[in-house]
Amino acid sequence: MENLQKSNELTDIQLHETEAPQVQNIPMESPLVICDNLVKIYKTDEVEVMALQGLELEIKRGEIISIIGKSGSGKSTLMNIIGGLERQTAGKIVVDGKNLAELSERQMVHYRKKKIGFVWQKASRNLYFYLTAIENIEVAMNFTKMSAKAKRDKAMKLLQLVDMAHKRDSYPAQMSGGEQQRIAIAVALANDPDILLADEPTGAVDSKTSGVIQDLFRTLNRETGITIIIVTHDVSLANKVDRVVMISDGKISTEKVMKAQIRAQIESVAEIEIDDDSHEEYSIMDKAHRVQLSEDMLRAAGINSNKVKISVVDGKILISGEDGNS
Ligand code: ADP
Ligand code: MG
């Protein structure tokens, strides 16, 4: 971000970089986010929950991706780690070439404010209800050294970007859920973050409004190039983005990548029907060459024991049940 050099908070990072010069330059096309074997364990009084179990994920600069998965599968945990709100138990997370584990608490605060924009499901977590729309956006810029006038101008631009200029002086309570989320997106963009993280941003609005908000994310991504990661329950919405990754049991299990010709159509035509055929589905193989099979696949193949036979047939790998069936 443009103010990095001026900030005292980053001195430690800069020192660190001078002391230990990087062996190789990071090429521009290297992923913006690299999750390498991420593990997160929550310890409560008696139990330990392994929320992330060696998660691998790379996100390119300028990508828009959806993350789907059952409740409790680790989606919010992953978002919190990418957003610098929590630290992993093991494994590595690198964002924009920086290993987040090496950031001090103060640097982490700076990282969250400058690099990341958050949009949460609950409006009360996104917005101050005693401030108007425009004031909410201005307050988000408070820690920067902008003049009041510059803040106001920028807040106005952001309101226009999310198509809410007409509500600049309204309070959140005077807005619909969808309008509140638009303002929340403007707030999240206030400090020109590199990454917009949205954790079930449409979880509390009706499905038509969800569609409109999802389209807004896509437009923002296309027009500003910002990298966007959206956790969603709604699979039809999830499919509107370039890539959909599915988390199960704290790992990425499958990944659906939008077919190139569909993407080209989206670029040229505003409205296009997105369906299951729009994406190519892949399973993810981790570094130890493990692949997760879904319950549905096993059931369809009639495999019901934990022992399977694996063979290579005609250049394909075949997994069959103990009895050799399927
Ligand atoms: P999702 O967002 O996919 O619903 P989460 O990432 O919130 O899932 O949670 C993953 C697992 O970690 C769940 O079993 C959840 O109960 C547990 N968990 C999440 N946060 C905490 C926490 N702060 N303390 C203890 N357990 C947690
Ligand atoms: Mg969650």
Side-chain angles (χ1 to χ4, degrees), residues 40-44 49-52 69-78 80 86 199-200 231 233 247:
K40 175 71 183 181
I41 298 171
Y42 290 108
K43 289 197 180 96
T44 51
V49 179
M50 203 164 171
L52 297 180
K70 285 190 205 144
S71 174
S73 57
K75 304 181 296 295
S76 295
T77 304
L78 173 63
N80 290 342
E86 283 180 39
D199 195 347
E200 310 216 24
V231 168
H233 254 100
I247 297 195

Side-chain angles (χ1 to χ4, degrees), residues 18-290:
T18 3
E19 281 164 10
Q22 276 158 337
V23 187
Q24 75 231 29
N25 284 332
I26 301 161
M28 277 309 282
E29 61 274 17
S30 73
L32 179 60
V33 178
I34 302 171
C35 301
D36 181 5
N37 207 4
L38 272 188
V39 173
K40 175 71 183 181
I41 298 171
Y42 290 108
K43 289 197 180 96
T44 51
D45 288 346
E46 261 138 51
V47 285
E48 283 190 0
V49 179
M50 203 164 171
L52 297 180
Q53 313 199 11
L55 182 135
E56 309 268 346
L57 178 65
E58 292 191 350
I59 299 166
K60 290 201 279 286
R61 194 178 294 276
E63 242 192 316
I64 175 166
I65 78 163
S66 296
I67 297 180
I68 57 170
K70 285 190 205 144
S71 174
S73 57
K75 304 181 296 295
S76 295
T77 304
L78 173 63
M79 296 292 262
N80 290 342
I81 291 176
I82 297 175
L85 287 167
E86 283 180 39
R87 290 182 189 266
Q88 71 273 25
T89 311
K92 195 159 88 169
I93 167 131
V94 177
V95 179
D96 203 9
K98 296 226 160 54
N99 182 347
L100 296 194
E102 290 171 3
L103 301 191
S104 67
E105 283 309 315
R106 272 186 75 203
Q107 290 168 336
M108 232 15 179
V109 172
H110 188 270
Y111 167 81
R112 283 200 295 270
K113 285 186 173 165
K114 286 296 290 176
K115 295 267 184 184
I116 306 289
F118 291 99
V119 180
W120 308 101
Q121 178 175 336
K122 277 208 225 120
S124 58
R125 194 168 175 189
N126 294 318
L127 302 173
Y128 296 109
F129 273 57
Y130 55 89
L131 297 179
T132 62
I134 195 158
E135 288 166 351
N136 263 289
I137 305 170
E138 287 168 344
V139 155
M141 292 179 247
N142 258 355
F143 77 101
T144 63
K145 293 195 176 69
M146 290 164 78
S147 69
K149 163 93 172 63
K151 281 185 198 163
R152 176 124 305 200
D153 290 348
K154 189 165 177 194
M156 234 7 252
K157 282 210 186 89
L158 288 167
L159 281 173
Q160 281 155 4
L161 191 66
V162 298
D163 210 8
M164 284 293 288
H166 56 292
K167 292 276 182 161
R168 54 170 277 171
D169 296 319
S170 299
Y171 290 90
Q174 299 168 319
M175 298 175 203
S176 68
E179 289 174 335
Q180 289 172 348
Q181 289 308 64
R182 283 174 177 271
I183 301 297
I185 294 168
V187 168
L189 295 172
N191 296 306
D192 303 313
D194 289 353
I195 308 173
L196 190 59
L197 297 178
D199 195 347
E200 310 216 24
T202 62
V205 298
D206 61 71
S207 62
K208 185 161 170 270
T209 309
S210 307
V212 173
I213 291 173
Q214 193 81 2
D215 288 341
L216 173 61
F217 281 122
R218 208 174 67 195
T219 308
L220 286 174
N221 167 257
R222 231 183 307 154
E223 289 179 1
T224 72
I226 186 172
T227 306
I228 306 183
I229 309 173
I230 310 166
V231 168
T232 178
H233 254 100
D234 190 330
V235 178
S236 65
L237 287 183
N239 283 347
K240 285 187 168 190
V241 302
D242 298 345
R243 187 153 70 107
V244 184
V245 297
M246 173 146 177
I247 297 195
S248 52
D249 296 331
K251 269 189 179 174
I252 305 293
S253 57
T254 60
E255 179 170 309
K256 293 204 276 183
V257 181
M258 192 179 279
K259 290 177 186 164
Q261 85 260 27
I262 302 281
R263 198 171 331 185
Q265 275 171 292
I266 288 181
E267 303 287 316
S268 55
V269 201
E271 280 312 310
I272 165 159
E273 201 55 36
I274 306 282
D275 53 30
D276 277 354
D277 282 346
S278 310
H279 292 74
E280 211 103 56
E281 183 158 348
Y282 298 94
S283 288
I284 301 300
M285 184 155 63
D286 72 12
K287 289 202 175 125
H289 303 165
R290 287 176 295 221

